[in-house]
Amino acid sequence: SCFNTKRDYKAEITLFYRLVGKKATEVTLHDLIAYREGLETRGLKPATIAKKLTVLRRLFTFLYEQGVIPINPSAGVKLPKVSNETTREILTLAECNQLLASIETATTRGKRDKAILALLLINGLRVCEITRANAGDLMQTEGCLVLRVRGKGGKNIDTRIRDDVREVIQSYVSTRGTLQEKDSLFIGTTHRAKDRITRRNVQHMVKVRLKRLGINRPHVSTHSLRHS
């Protein structure tokens, strides 16, 4: 998935400072260890604790490298061992083909869903990269169709669209009429249909379509399609 990094980092850092009650220049290794122990006492999973501590380690490492603090208090903080409990299962090639082939493209919704699934499975895009896409992000470069992806950290990357995916996307776009560059590439098809499609919309769509095919293994998720 595409994690809203800035928002999540801000939330984690804000929570830490509220609990510790000190400025960055006053935080010590003891404060960070006490924070970790507090998270453990609350019964949080090792993966969750590791994520929270990683945010703080990156923050204090950055402050130290920038000369804001004389010593990096996070240097001695150990992360808990994380098992493979977050491992996401991928789809087999046969399941990928079955999923794409199962979509009826006679309707606008079907055309849209097939285009989204193709970008997830074939181009390996994140859900947030798909929901952020505008009509103007589709462009011709050196004779190829590319989608300009706005990824993490504000970086723009052009991903080449394969010919079969191109046909699927253009089939959907043709149902939208005249589009302006800033118009959302993918929108809803029912309630408030002119709105930009959301991450929840995509996740629900994928879940429903996988369930119809009997693909309901515990660790299969929308993110599994990207890894597949």
Side-chain angles (χ1 to χ4, degrees):
S1 66
C2 194
F3 192 34
N4 292 300
T5 308
K6 288 183 180 179
R7 183 193 68 191
D8 292 343
Y9 273 37
K10 181 179 179 180
E12 294 295 349
I13 292 168
T14 300
L15 175 62
F16 171 74
Y17 279 113
R18 283 178 180 170
L19 292 174
V20 76
K22 292 182 178 180
K23 298 179 181 178
T25 52
E26 300 170 338
V27 174
T28 65
L29 172 61
H30 176 75
D31 294 321
L32 289 163
I33 292 175
Y35 179 68
R36 184 191 66 193
E37 292 174 346
L39 297 175
E40 292 169 347
T41 301
R42 287 167 52 192
L44 298 183
K45 293 182 178 180
T48 302
I49 296 173
K51 173 189 166 185
K52 291 176 177 292
L53 293 177
T54 296
V55 170
L56 297 177
R57 284 174 64 170
R58 289 176 178 171
L59 169 67
F60 286 109
T61 298
F62 172 78
L63 294 176
Y64 174 69
E65 290 174 348
Q66 296 298 311
V68 177
I69 55 178
I71 299 174
N72 182 357
S74 69
V77 179
K78 293 183 178 181
L79 301 181
K81 291 184 179 180
V82 180
S83 66
N84 64 350
E85 62 186 25
T86 58
T87 299
R88 298 181 187 276
E89 188 173 350
I90 65 173
L91 302 183
T92 66
L93 178 58
E95 288 173 333
C96 292
N97 289 332
Q98 184 184 14
L99 177 58
L100 289 172
S102 70
I103 302 175
E104 174 56 59
T105 54
T107 64
T108 298
R109 173 178 289 211
K111 295 179 192 296
R112 182 203 66 181
D113 291 358
K114 191 160 190 173
I116 290 174
L117 288 169
L119 289 172
L120 288 168
L121 285 168
I122 297 170
N123 284 80
L125 296 191
R126 296 181 175 88
V127 173
C128 65
E129 292 169 344
I130 291 173
T131 60
R132 290 173 185 163
N134 293 329
D137 294 329
L138 277 175
M139 59 192 76
Q140 291 285 339
T141 301
E142 298 180 358
C144 298
L145 182 70
V146 300
L147 177 65
R148 179 151 293 173
V149 176
R150 295 190 294 281
K152 290 185 176 181
K155 296 179 181 178
N156 290 334
I157 299 174
D158 290 346
T159 179
R160 183 180 182 278
I161 304 299
R162 214 169 66 180
D163 289 344
D164 52 351
V165 180
R166 172 185 190 149
E167 292 175 6
V168 171
I169 293 176
Q170 290 181 333
S171 176
Y172 165 66
V173 171
S174 67
T175 68
R176 299 276 306 282
T178 303
L179 295 177
Q180 302 300 315
E181 285 195 357
K182 294 297 183 182
D183 288 342
S184 306
L185 181 57
F186 296 105
I187 60 174
T189 56
T190 51
H191 178 59
R192 300 176 70 180
K194 293 183 180 180
D195 288 350
R196 181 180 297 272
I197 196 169
T198 66
R199 179 170 58 177
R200 183 173 294 181
N201 293 152
V202 176
Q203 291 171 334
H204 177 71
M205 180 270 288
V206 171
K207 181 179 180 181
V208 169
R209 291 196 177 278
L210 288 174
K211 187 176 181 181
R212 287 176 184 171
L213 296 175
I215 303 173
N216 54 6
R217 298 190 295 279
H219 296 296
V220 170
S221 66
T222 304
H223 206 56
S224 300
L225 274 64
R226 175 173 184 260
H227 287 288
S228 300

